[in-house]
């Protein structure tokens, strides 16, 4: 199972990298979203995917899944959400002001480098 | 803090006062205030003759760096030169620099800074302190060369001297550090004591070469002499002081000072004497073709410094012969020290003469000058004394040191070490040819300026004799030239003998002194024949100068070292610019590509080299059908984003990946994560759609994105590395998880049954606090971005 999940997150990383290397600002932001999905999945996988009850003591099971990676992922989800929404608004404002979302056109020229 | 330390610091302290003295006593030339100090110091240092003093003030004792002052024959000789010539130069500058037109406060601050630094260099026993003062001399020399900073040539000369001397200074620092690594001390005294143990150390030769680099750049040896002719843009008192008598001799001092450390090696002998000889030869040949008085003097300084340097190199041969009685190689060291003093006297006076000529006629070009003898008889007399001494004519002091120089060079041919048999004849021959050229340019200097036809129409001012004050210093120096010529033993026991003793301390048995009795007449020796040859050939050369001078034009200009320096400097600038432009493209995609490639190469490479990849199925969970289907759905969503033609599809596909992730969280028993992921994915998709709506040119975008092979390879590499690292990490678990603690204590310690929430707000509450902060900042940032607008035309 872990091997499969490692491959899936590897694919997510690959797609995210490819998107981040593109010209369109929106595709870059989609790439970052995909990258955070991949990272979250990877944290969960690396925490071990052994069967066990959900980390709720009310279950009264003999074994639970690891609660620590879950806490870490929860934090990461919220932070990546904050960053993604900031980036989105930034892209929106950049388009409004500069009239382009093509990264090649947003390149600085020699005068304002 | 002894009086000696105060003596070194005093010029710096006076330099602080200069601007005030300049501002509040405008009617008095600032130089008069300065003049007192070097005179007092000179008298003070005279009191040290025959003594050896050492005293220490702690600076950074924990690093072994202390302000240790050590006065022996060698340092004292230099200290006297610095303060003595310093006094004369200050006196001369009072008449040379106009009170009304020049910024005297700048000039004297720099000059005092230089004087203090130079005293520090020659009196320090600690190499780090020596280096500190050494760089101070480079710095103050830079400021003094660029004194008339509105002239482009001054700035060029200042920068050039700075680049070259600082390059050498840093090399020297490297050499000092290597010496410290070998001996464990920064003190020169202690280094000398430790030398027998480190002679064969592998860092010994690198240290030697680095220290010599410092000495050669500072003392304008071949090929680093190129800064000195350009430093002639400085005011003439500066050229006289720094670039003939003192600073350029700092390298000589360094070589002499480190002779006890390095001189037993053959490399030292070869490097010092060969480079000195080449410099002597090259400088004297180049001096003849110059047409500017100061340029002739600059190349002559280069040449004479080469002479002293080669003598110091030859002198080191003395260490290879044990017996002192018939050791005729010590004469080379004696000659070096004697010529050092002589050169300071006659070159200082000649520079002052050049300054007077410039001051009184408005030009230094010998093609415009001529026949000044009748206008300036005193200046002419001084020039004759200085130039004849430089040429090595009796009865001046230059004659004596030149004879000793020839003696040293002839002695080389009798040397039976270092396989000298084959090459030894080269030394006296080169030295002899160089002396002929020295004679030539000395004659050019005097006779082209002071004899021949007067060309009044080419001069800016009608020439007349300089004011008395301006003549005092050159008269004193000229008299010294004559006095030392007739009474050389005034110097030999007081200054030369202790200096030689400190250059070659190991040669001297206890209670004995070096024989430095210099006789004026030594019989019909080969040296005398050489001198007669020099005079004869030099005279013929001078008389026929017009005929063969064109030979110099044959020398290709492209091979000149200045061209090489300029080309390498501009070449470095151009190439680094090209290189920066090559990789700093301005496209964010390129930078991301660098970062990703670096990640792949470093992470993947390390794993491959260290054999870090491993693969095991032990302890992995089984693959259920739901997970397999969900994984397939997720990959499908991912590829839909990649291949989608419209961005709307991409956004929806991203949403599907997010929801698949939420479902994974469900499958892997993470209810809180699933909840959060669902909500946040919904909000995110909504935000994406919102932005998408405001990006109206999406029609343009709805074309197939060009497939880029490079991008694909990079992203494939990233994915591969991440997967392999993840699998390897999963296959090598080193320790157990700490989660049993959370499982056991969530309820008992924190009173909660939801372990994830307990961790978030109780066990690891700080994470959550700052995560809230992150969200707040993001919200405020978004608000600010949307609300704050720059007015039209307003620059950010």
């Amino acid at each position: 199972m872990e091997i499969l999940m490692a491959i899936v997150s590897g694919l997510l990383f690959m797609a995210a990298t490819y998107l981040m290397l593109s010209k369109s600002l929106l595709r870059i932001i989609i790439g970052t979203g995909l990258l955070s999905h991949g990272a979250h999945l990877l944290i969960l996988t690396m925490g071990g995917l052994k069967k066990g009850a959900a980390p709720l003591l009310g279950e009264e099971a003999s074994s639970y899944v690891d609660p620590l990676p879950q806490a870490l992922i929860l934090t990461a989800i919220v932070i990546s959400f904050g960053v993604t929404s900031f980036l989105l608004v930034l892209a929106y404002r950049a388009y409004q002001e500069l009239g382009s979302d093509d990264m090649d056109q947003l390149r600085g020229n020699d005068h304002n480098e | 803090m002894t009086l000696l330390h105060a003596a070194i610091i005093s010029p710096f302290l006076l330099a602080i006062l200069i601007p005030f003295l300049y501002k509040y006593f405008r009617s008095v030339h600032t130089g008069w205030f300065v003049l007192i100090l070097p005179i007092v110091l000179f008298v003070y240092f005279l009191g040290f003759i025959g003594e050896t003093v050492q005293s220490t003030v702690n600076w950074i004792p924990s690093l072994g760096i202390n302000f240790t002052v050590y006065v022996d024959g060698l340092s004292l000789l230099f200290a006297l030169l610095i303060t003595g010539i310093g006094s004369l130069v200050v006196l001369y500058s009072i008449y040379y620099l106009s009170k009304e037109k020049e910024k005297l406060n700048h000039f004297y601050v720099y000059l005092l800074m230089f004087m203090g630094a130079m005293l520090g260099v020659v009196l320090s026993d600690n190499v780090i302190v020596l280096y500190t003062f050494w760089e101070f001399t480079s710095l103050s020399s830079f400021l003094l060369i660029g004194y008339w900073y509105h002239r482009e040539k001054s700035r060029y000369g200042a920068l050039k001297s700075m680049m070259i001397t600082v390059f050498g200074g840093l090399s020297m620092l490297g050499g000092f550090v290597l010496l410290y690594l070998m001996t464990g001390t920064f003190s020169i005294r202690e280094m000398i004591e430790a030398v027998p143990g480190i002679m064969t150390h592998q860092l010994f030769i690198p240290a030697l070469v680095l220290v010599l680099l410092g000495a050669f750049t500072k003392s304008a040896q071949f090929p680093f002499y190129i800064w000195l002719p350009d430093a002639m843009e400085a005011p003439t008192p500066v050229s006289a002081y720094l670039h003939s008598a003192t600073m350029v001799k700092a390298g000589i001092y360094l070589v002499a000072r480190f002779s006890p450390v390095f001189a037993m090696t053959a490399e030292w002998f070869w490097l010092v004497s060969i480079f000195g000889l080449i410099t002597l030869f090259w400088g004297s040949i180049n001096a003849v073709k110059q047409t500017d008085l100061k340029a002739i003097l600059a190349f002559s300084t280069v040449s004479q410094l080469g002479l002293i340097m080669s003598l110091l190199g030859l002198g080191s041969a003395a260490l290879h012969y044990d017996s002192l009685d018939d050791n005729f190689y010590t004469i080379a060291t004696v000659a070096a020290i004697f010529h050092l003093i002589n050169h300071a006297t006659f070159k200082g006076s000649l520079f002052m003469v050049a300054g007077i000529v410039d001051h009184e006629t408005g030009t230094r070009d010998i093609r415009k000058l001529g026949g000044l003898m009748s206008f300036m008889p005193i200046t002419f007399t001084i020039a004759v004394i200085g130039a004849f001494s430089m040429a090595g004519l009796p009865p001046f002091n230059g004659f004596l040191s030149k004879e000793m120089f020839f003696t040293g060079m002839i002695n080389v041919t009798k040397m039976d070490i270092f396989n000298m048999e084959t090459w030894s004849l080269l030394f006296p021959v080169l030295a002899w040819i160089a002396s002929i050229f020295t004679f030539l340019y000395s004659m050019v200097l005097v006779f082209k300026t002071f004899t021949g036809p007067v060309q009044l129409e080419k001069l800016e001012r009608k020439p007349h004799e300089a004011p008395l004050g301006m003549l005092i210093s050159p008269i004193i120096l000229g008299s010294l030239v004559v006095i030392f010529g007739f009474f050389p033993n005034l110097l030999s026991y007081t200054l030369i003998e202790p200096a030689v003793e400190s250059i070659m301390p190991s040669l001297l048995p206890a209670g004995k002194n070096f024989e430095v009795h210099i006789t004026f007449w030594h019989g019909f020796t080969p040296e005398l024949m050489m001198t007669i040859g020099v005079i004869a050939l030099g005279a013929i050369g001078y008389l026929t100068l017009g005929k063969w001078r064109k030979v110099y034009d044959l020398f290709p200009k492209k091979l000149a070292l200045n061209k090489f320096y300029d080309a390498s400097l501009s070449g470095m600038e151009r190439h680094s610019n090209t290189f920066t432009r090559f990789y700093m493209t301005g496209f964010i995609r390129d930078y991301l590509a660098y970062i990703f490639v670096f990640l792949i190469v470093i992470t993947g490479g390390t794993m491959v080299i260290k054999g870090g990849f491993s693969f095991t199925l032990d302890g992995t969970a089984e693959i259920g059908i739901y997970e397999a289907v969900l994984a397939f759905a997720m990959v499908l969503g991912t590829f839909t984003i990649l291949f989608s033609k419209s961005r709307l599809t991409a956004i929806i596909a991203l949403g599907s990946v997010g929801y698949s992730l939420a479902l994974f969280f469900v499958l892997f028993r993470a209810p809180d994560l699933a909840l959060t992921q669902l909500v946040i994915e919904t909000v995110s998709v909504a935000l994406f759609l919102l932005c998408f709506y405001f990006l109206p040119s999406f029609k343009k975008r709805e074309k197939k994105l060009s497939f880029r092979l490079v991008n694909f390879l990079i992203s494939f590499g990233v994915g591969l590395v991440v997967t392999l690292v993840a699998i390897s990490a999963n296959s090598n678990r080193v320790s157990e998880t700490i989660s049993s603690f959370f499982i056991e204590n969530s309820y008992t310690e924190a009173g909660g049954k939801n372990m994830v929430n307990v961790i978030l707000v109780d066990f690891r509450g700080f994470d959550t606090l700052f995560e809230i902060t992150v969200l707040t900042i993001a919200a405020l940032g978004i608000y600010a971005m949307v609300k704050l607008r720059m007015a039209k035309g307003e620059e950010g």
Side-chain angles (χ1 to χ4, degrees), chain A residues 1 21 27 57 66 93 107, chain B residues 585 589 621 705 739 785:
Chain A
M1 190 70 235
L21 289 172
R27 275 169 75 91
L57 287 174
D66 196 335
R93 286 287 295 126
R107 171 180 179 250
Chain B
T585 56
R589 197 171 56 240
L705 281 133
S739 294
M785 262 198 298

Side-chain angles (χ1 to χ4, degrees), chain B residues 244 249 300-301 304 308 339-348:
Chain B
S244 73
K249 296 207 170 95
S300 137
T301 303
Q304 305 276 322
I308 300 172
H339 196 71
L340 181 93
I341 304 169
N342 294 344
H343 178 251
T345 54
F346 66 68
K347 192 54 65 67

Side-chain angles (χ1 to χ4, degrees), chain B residues 602-614 724-725 728-729:
Chain B
I602 294 299
T603 315
T606 312
M607 294 292 272
V608 169
I609 290 167
K610 297 279 178 190
F613 289 121
S614 62
L724 289 179
V725 169
S728 309

Side-chain angles (χ1 to χ4, degrees), chain A residues 1-2 10 14-15 21 23 27 37 46 52 55 57 66 70 74-75 78 85 90 93 95 101 104 107, chain B residues 585-586 589 620-621 638 647 669 676 681 696 701 705 715 723 730 733 737 739 753 755 760 771 785 789:
Chain A
M1 190 70 235
E2 277 90 344
M14 181 181 129
L21 289 172
K23 282 183 189 177
R27 275 169 75 91
H37 287 333
M46 293 295 98
L57 287 174
D66 196 335
Q70 296 194 10
L74 199 59
T75 312
V78 175
S85 39
L90 188 65
R93 286 287 295 126
Y95 181 77
D101 71 334
D104 286 2
R107 171 180 179 250
Chain B
T585 56
R589 197 171 56 240
T620 53
T638 309
R647 292 184 298 173
R669 314 278 195 284
T676 319
E681 196 58 36
R701 292 283 160 198
L705 281 133
S715 44
T723 308
N730 195 44
R733 290 185 182 275
T737 166
S739 294
K753 290 187 176 174
M755 285 180 256
L760 281 175
E771 159 197 344
M785 262 198 298
R789 297 289 157 94

Side-chain angles (χ1 to χ4, degrees), chain B residues 48 91 94 112 145 164 176 178 188 227 311 355 361 377 419 426 460 601 607 614 648-649 714 772:
Chain B
F48 281 98
L91 180 65
I94 292 172
L112 282 169
I145 297 170
I164 294 176
F176 289 163
L178 292 186
I188 300 174
W227 66 267
L311 281 173
T361 64
N419 301 320
L426 200 63
E460 289 172 24
V601 171
M607 294 292 272
S614 62
L648 194 58
T649 321
I714 292 172
I772 292 166

